[in-house]
Amino acid sequence: MLHNWALHQCASTVSTFRQEPVKYAVLAFLRGEGPRPPRHALAVVELPGRNAVCECVLDMDAAALPGSADGPRVLSWKQMDGVQAAVTLDDVLESEAALKGNAQFQALMRERYGITDLALLAVDPWYSGYRYGHPEGRILQFLLYNRASPDDNPYAHPLDCIVFYDMHTDKLHGMHAFGGEGGRTLPPQLANYHRSLVELPFRTSLKPLDIVQPEGPSFSVEGNVVTWENWQLHVGFSWREGLILNNLQFFDREKGRLRPVMHRAALAEIIVPYGDPREPFQNKCAYDIADYGLGLCAVSLELGCDCLGHIKYFDGVVNNSKGEPVTIKKAICMHEEDAGTAWKQVDYRTGHLEVRRHRRLVISSWAVIANYSYGFYWHLYQDGTISFEARLTGIVSTNSMFPNEQTPEGGEPLWGTRLALGLNAQIHQHFFMVRMDPAIDCLEGGKRLQVVEVDAQPMPLGPDNPHGVGFDITERLLRSEAEAQRDAAPERSRVWKIQNPAVLNPASGKPVAYKLMPGTPTPPMLAHPSSSHATRGAFATKHLWVTPYHPKEMNPAGDYPLHPNPEENPGIADWTRANRNLDGADCVLWFNLGLTHVVRTEDWPVMPVEHLTFSLKPWGFFRRNPLLDLPPDANAASRDCDEDAPPQRAPCCAPAPSAACCTKPAARPALPMSKL
């Protein structure tokens, strides 16, 4: 239906995806206490000739009824003038071709740089950077690079200008050049990573390292529902967020039931603000989800390269500008990994050893957004821990150095790192905001939770601490949205506890809980609070935000890159001005993990992966260590390099004569405490 409509109306379909149902209706249906929620989809359609966007809500259930050959029924249609939607892959490819065909642009390339063959010119379309007001059409900013050959790294040769262009009207809205006469000469040095152009020969020192599961994986999959090591969850995908985890539950063997942990978890927004304050870089700030969509930028994963072992893939489905479905094969990868030692203890008196190996389930996806490649990894552990990891690689964004920065010796950029003669990589930050809707042992999706900030504090000297050795924790209940805008404090071992006061741990007598543990410290956004980066990207000015659940509050930077009326495109800073109650509320946590990227020469020409992490760990959720039931098995495939014969398989803790993992050493005497 949308495909036919788009053809007749000269419209472009930006996105079509299911409209997120209210979670209470979903949970009631899953418990067998309510009807299945209606299946609605939200289509965002761009009207280029009118400089407008339309939101169309579709009834997908109607498409499944007999006689519904025309497709889903339209429930509502809303035209929004002046709104700019996400930049799709079709936009990227079509705008590059359109810009290269523009006569004014061709003259600029010819007269300033002597470039007449534009085939080797690389054009990176970014959203314009204008986040407010009424721009004249769909204006994108284009960062320009040249190549010496089709496979050459273009980011080694940036042009000294940024062009603002609207492909719908074929109009240049501005060109900002900053290199003076020197800008006519591009940085010349080659810097390649393509396998056919790498100068060094490949290493020959590595021997194969295979991940083998002769009996297959330990997980089972039915549709998109995954069961693994007491975990049960649903794996989802959307054009905007990419990978989504839903309805995470853990089977407690002592209680004999599934216990809810998390209703929904997904990456909600990414912002990359650059620190160079000079024209034309004051608008260089990418919102990678609002501007492009992680699902639209997802890439297919390669067996044996992106994931190792016994792999289960899930496809992702998005749409093109004609409204046609596009399947991204193998968009999500799932596999098991060894996670090191789960627990270990040696009785020094007897020499008896107990040790267990730990495993984790890894669910991951990758997105390529212009020069950067991002990997997103959710890890589920056998002890109930959940962790999230963002992996950053790809190529740093480069620019030609300004004339006042260059010298015959090479010069020094003012806001960045010199990578080669005349080539700068600007200082910038990355922030990844993850939205988590915890359930914490509540069948209604976490309706009455509390969030508590926990700090480790030294005690002052006094009658209760005469020797000065005392320290303890302090707990502060975050009662409102204003109180719950918080920063990490590694010097206090700060964590945030999400607890369910209606369920008490039988051992401790305290509410069952999970704790949110920051893993990678970085300061919040460093741009000035009055800047456009910090006002529109306010979500990155704090590490943690907490809001009460609202089905419409999903996008912390707003639904669209630009809306002429900001009040109709609110983000998390706008929602939280209401300062709603959080004590006993259905709390949603929004956590930022980030990197302040001072580029190294080792990040060039392609960047080794940076790892950013946080964890959610059970805190009084279980009565005792949930890993006590791990079997004491030794890995039969492991080999001792100093022994030719393969070892005999033996349980880790069996009283076998061989030196298995947990066997008592025959000739080892007990050590006195003074020598341990």
Side-chain angles (χ1 to χ4, degrees):
M1 183 197 74
L2 282 173
H3 169 59
N4 294 333
W5 190 91
L7 289 177
H8 289 295
Q9 300 295 324
C10 297
S12 175
T13 304
V14 177
S15 61
T16 303
F17 209 73
R18 72 178 185 276
Q19 203 169 36
E20 192 81 20
V22 176
K23 74 172 182 178
Y24 306 124
V26 174
L27 293 171
F29 170 70
L30 293 176
R31 294 194 305 266
E33 299 173 1
R36 192 189 74 177
R39 298 191 315 125
H40 294 167
L42 175 65
V44 176
V45 180
E46 184 190 359
L47 304 177
R50 306 178 192 177
N51 189 28
V53 162
C54 286
E55 289 184 342
C56 177
V57 178
L58 307 172
D59 182 357
M60 304 306 292
D61 289 324
L65 296 175
S68 58
D70 293 335
R73 181 165 56 96
V74 176
L75 298 177
S76 66
W77 182 273
K78 178 183 178 183
Q79 179 172 322
M80 300 177 293
D81 295 333
V83 170
Q84 299 298 320
V87 179
T88 67
L89 180 59
D90 286 348
D91 287 335
V92 169
L93 299 176
E94 292 169 9
S95 64
E96 177 170 351
L99 179 63
K100 288 182 177 181
N102 179 276
Q104 188 179 356
F105 179 75
Q106 292 173 354
L108 171 65
M109 294 298 101
R110 181 176 60 253
E111 295 168 6
R112 183 167 180 82
Y113 304 103
I115 299 175
T116 56
D117 181 3
L118 301 185
L120 294 178
L121 188 71
V123 175
D124 279 8
W126 287 43
Y127 184 71
S128 66
Y130 303 129
R131 302 291 168 178
Y132 304 100
H134 299 261
E136 184 186 338
R138 188 162 174 75
I139 303 170
L140 303 180
Q141 60 175 321
F142 293 82
L143 281 62
L144 307 173
Y145 311 87
N146 207 22
R147 289 172 288 195
S149 66
D151 292 327
D152 181 39
N153 175 12
Y155 299 102
H157 319 293
L159 279 62
D160 73 321
C161 71
I162 293 178
V163 171
F164 292 81
Y165 173 70
D166 182 349
M167 72 170 176
H168 296 319
T169 60
D170 192 28
K171 180 179 178 180
L172 283 178
H173 285 262
M175 187 278 289
H176 296 276
F178 52 86
E181 291 298 313
R184 300 170 187 266
T185 303
L186 308 187
Q189 186 172 328
L190 299 177
N192 285 303
Y193 59 91
H194 193 285
R195 66 185 66 187
S196 66
L197 298 175
V198 171
E199 298 172 352
L200 290 173
F202 294 125
R203 302 181 191 187
T204 58
S205 55
L206 288 175
K207 294 181 171 61
L209 194 162
D210 297 328
I211 310 299
V212 179
Q213 291 183 279
E215 300 177 18
S218 304
F219 54 74
S220 61
V221 181
E222 184 176 349
N224 281 54
V225 176
V226 176
T227 302
W228 175 83
E229 284 297 285
N230 296 320
W231 282 105
Q232 186 181 94
L233 67 148
H234 178 276
V235 178
F237 185 88
S238 81
W239 76 270
R240 186 176 186 115
E241 299 159 296
L243 173 61
I244 304 169
L245 301 186
N246 289 290
N247 202 24
L248 288 87
Q249 303 178 82
F250 195 93
F251 185 79
D252 190 324
R253 294 183 65 189
E254 292 197 65
K255 293 182 177 292
R257 64 176 177 87
L258 283 167
R259 302 175 66 189
V261 175
M262 184 81 65
H263 175 69
R264 192 180 191 276
L267 197 59
E269 191 54 87
I270 303 171
I271 187 172
V272 188
Y274 283 76
D276 191 333
R278 297 169 293 187
E279 184 85 21
F281 298 115
Q282 73 274 18
N283 290 321
K284 191 175 181 182
C285 181
Y287 293 71
D288 287 335
I289 292 183
D291 289 357
Y292 306 103
L294 285 188
L296 294 179
C297 296
V299 294
S300 297
L301 304 176
E302 294 295 329
L303 185 66
C305 298
D306 296 296
C307 306
L308 303 183
H310 198 118
I311 310 302
K312 165 64 180 176
Y313 291 105
F314 299 89
D315 296 340
V317 179
V318 293
N319 61 269
N320 61 19
S321 60
K322 298 177 181 179
E324 300 166 330
V326 176
T327 298
I328 303 171
K329 302 293 290 185
K330 300 181 179 180
I332 297 171
C333 162
M334 183 174 73
H335 66 289
E336 291 178 279
E337 286 182 350
D338 180 85
T341 302
W343 59 268
K344 179 174 181 173
Q345 179 58 26
V346 178
D347 187 330
Y348 75 90
R349 296 174 179 83
T350 65
H352 181 76
L353 166 67
E354 295 280 355
V355 62
R356 304 291 188 273
R357 299 297 299 178
H358 208 177
R359 280 197 209 180
R360 66 185 184 185
L361 184 69
V362 185
I363 307 171
S364 62
S365 67
W366 280 81
V368 176
I369 305 173
N371 52 299
Y372 268 113
S373 295
Y374 295 132
F376 309 108
Y377 289 72
W378 287 99
H379 300 135
L380 305 182
Y381 292 81
Q382 292 169 300
D383 67 347
T385 294
I386 304 170
S387 71
F388 176 81
E389 179 184 9
R391 299 182 183 179
L392 292 68
T393 181
I395 306 175
V396 294
S397 181
T398 57
N399 67 282
S400 295
M401 289 169 59
F402 281 63
N404 65 325
E405 298 172 324
Q406 301 192 44
T407 66
E409 295 76 26
E412 183 67 29
L414 297 177
W415 285 276
T417 301
R418 192 184 80 196
L419 299 176
L421 184 65
L423 184 67
N424 176 43
Q426 293 159 325
I427 188 170
H428 57 283
Q429 292 183 289
H430 298 260
F431 293 100
F432 301 81
M433 173 167 267
V434 180
R435 178 186 182 275
M436 294 167 284
D437 187 351
I440 314 298
D441 217 4
C442 175
L443 295 175
E444 296 182 276
K447 264 193 169 180
R448 288 168 287 277
L449 301 181
Q450 296 172 323
V451 179
V452 179
E453 184 172 272
V454 183
D455 285 354
Q457 295 278 11
M459 291 177 61
L461 285 171
D464 293 332
N465 186 32
H467 305 291
V469 299
F471 61 93
D472 204 345
I473 62 169
T474 60
E475 297 192 357
R476 176 192 173 201
L477 177 63
L478 304 180
R479 298 181 181 275
S480 67
E481 289 178 291
E483 292 183 15
Q485 299 173 25
R486 308 299 297 161
D487 287 332
E491 75 280 4
R492 293 287 184 238
S493 294
R494 176 171 292 169
V495 298
W496 293 281
K497 183 165 59 171
I498 311 109
Q499 64 186 24
N500 183 346
V503 183
L504 301 181
N505 184 297
S508 68
K510 294 184 177 181
V512 296
Y514 263 67
K515 64 175 177 178
L516 171 59
M517 302 176 61
T520 313
T522 199
M525 184 185 287
L526 295 173
H528 192 272
S530 66
S531 69
S532 61
H533 296 351
T535 50
R536 180 62 189 273
F539 68 90
T541 62
K542 293 292 180 182
H543 289 122
L544 177 72
W545 303 69
V546 186
T547 62
Y549 170 77
H550 190 290
K552 299 295 186 182
E553 295 179 355
M554 302 293 290
N555 305 315
D559 294 339
Y560 295 99
L562 180 143
H563 196 298
N565 184 357
E567 293 180 358
E568 296 183 22
N569 194 36
I572 197 167
D574 305 296
W575 309 333
T576 55
R577 289 195 185 100
N579 199 23
R580 294 166 291 187
N581 173 63
L582 297 176
D583 186 2
D586 190 344
C587 297
V588 175
L589 280 74
W590 310 74
F591 184 72
N592 272 309
L593 63 164
L595 168 71
T596 300
H597 194 179
V598 181
V599 178
R600 308 170 300 148
T601 54
E602 291 85 354
D603 292 332
W604 183 251
V606 65
M607 175 178 157
V609 168
E610 290 274 357
H611 302 262
L612 312 180
T613 64
F614 71 83
S615 297
L616 288 157
K617 295 181 71 71
W619 189 348
F621 191 80
F622 301 106
R623 185 174 66 87
R624 55 183 178 177
N625 184 350
L627 298 177
L628 289 175
D629 59 354
L630 289 180
D633 293 337
N635 178 256
S638 296
R639 298 289 183 268
D640 187 333
C641 289
D642 296 326
E643 296 181 5
D644 294 330
Q648 298 296 314
R649 182 179 178 89
C652 281
C653 306
S658 61
C661 288
C662 307
T663 306
K664 175 181 175 180
R668 178 182 173 182
L671 295 175
M673 287 291 289
S674 61
K675 295 185 178 181
L676 289 179

